[in-house]
Amino acid sequence: RPRPGPGRFRGCLAGALLGDCLGAVFEGRSVVKLPDLLSFLRGLEPAPGPPEEGEAAGSARRETLSYTDDTAMSRSVLQSLLAKREFDEVDMAKRFAEEYKKEPNRGYGMAVVNVFKKLLSPKCNDVFEPARAQFNGKGSYGNGGAMRVAGIPLTYSDVQDVKKFAKLSAELTHANSLGYNGAILQALAVHLALQGELSKETFLEQLISHMEDVEADDKSLTDARALGFEDLPFSRRLKKIKEFLELSSVPKADVLFELGNGIAALRSVPTAIYSFLRCMEADPDIPAHYSNLQRTIIYCISLGGDTDTIATMAGAIAGAYYGEEQIPPSWEQSCEAFQEAQKLADSMYELYCQRL
Ligand code: R7I
Ligand code: MG
Ligand code: MG
Ligand code: MG
């Protein structure tokens, strides 16, 4: 199997950052009208024609788009892996909590902030305990474990390591299997995307076969049943994606009904994966000059709901698959801290190669 090049690492982190920054503008809107989204995006592009007075040629009337908790936590994951050269739960937990303390207004989930507060207490001596206490001991099933997980497949090339450390990294905040299994699925998607060249069908089949294994353990079965879901809920949604991809067109309403656009991992990680796979093909509603990666982010945001998180997850997958070439400078430069993302990507590439 060929080793992925550095452009995939840069693409992955830039795609994730773009999805978060662009998606955050629309987060929580139940309906996003595509013409409004496209008009917003045109505002990021350099203005055609002669520059106006005081404006550099080709510059855009842009303001910097801020990143949210999705990127703040992703960066803590990356920085911990780079400092420790492997997964270290105590170091990662500390970075999550310190980052929250430093910038608490990045849009964190309502419940997860209680985990950070407990982690900051000197009385905490098991970093997994605060997450286990969430939601009366059932643990969170939010998508926070999945939204930040890309650093794991950028560190570990072995698929069993990807599963193991995606789970552990998510369990620092998300003890419900419907939360951490979403993180495993997202990590596997980035892992496969990094290999590139895979067809839609192979990509999905591999995800289904891994998730049927992941979801077959006792805790996954118990947690799914306790919430009233059928067995193997992620695997089932991956099979629904397979059905969708066989149709010539799928209405947005069907995507929202079957896959969702919510803050639960189960209602957002499969949606991100579907968006990536669907946007391998042209979309009659999205202008053809956009790259596949841009189309993926545009499509995710057009679904409404948890747009920053669905777009950051799909952006990480698409960026790993297509590489940095599909990201226009005008989009990158409109995001807060895009240069840091490039530096982190180069350091991650170095770590990945060193560990091979
Ligand atoms: O999962 P988490 O980090 O939130 C991530 C989301 C992303 O959209 C970010 O962009 C940011 O906006 O937040 O944070 P949690 O607080 O663990 O979970 C998010 C929400 O999911 C919670 O505030 C609850 O509304 C819901 N949730 C649950 N509700 C009932 N019972 C998660 N788990 C449960 C549960 O067990
Ligand atoms: Mg967010
Ligand atoms: Mg938010
Ligand atoms: Mg969100």
Side-chain angles (χ1 to χ4, degrees), residues 24 27 68-70 106-109 263 306 308-309:
E27 188 185 15
T68 77
D69 59 318
D70 304 55
R106 287 280 182 185
Y108 286 93
I263 48 176
D306 195 358
D308 63 335
T309 305

Side-chain angles (χ1 to χ4, degrees), residues 4 9 12 77-78 81 146 148-159 161-163 165-166 169 183-195 316-317 320 348 352:
F9 284 65
C12 177
V77 168
L78 298 165
L81 291 163
R148 64 179 189 236
V149 81
I152 298 295
L154 296 182
T155 300
Y156 295 98
S157 57
D158 178 83
V159 74
D161 287 340
V162 171
K163 288 181 184 174
F165 295 113
S169 69
I184 295 173
L185 175 55
Q186 169 65 13
L188 288 168
V190 172
H191 167 81
L192 292 177
L194 275 179
Q195 317 306 317
I317 302 166
M348 291 306 291
Y352 184 91

Side-chain angles (χ1 to χ4, degrees), residues 158-180:
D158 178 83
V159 74
Q160 296 309 328
D161 287 340
V162 171
K163 288 181 184 174
K164 174 178 168 186
F165 295 113
K167 181 179 181 190
L168 285 168
S169 69
E171 282 178 320
L172 291 169
T173 47
H174 292 70
N176 193 291
S177 64
L178 281 122
Y180 65 69

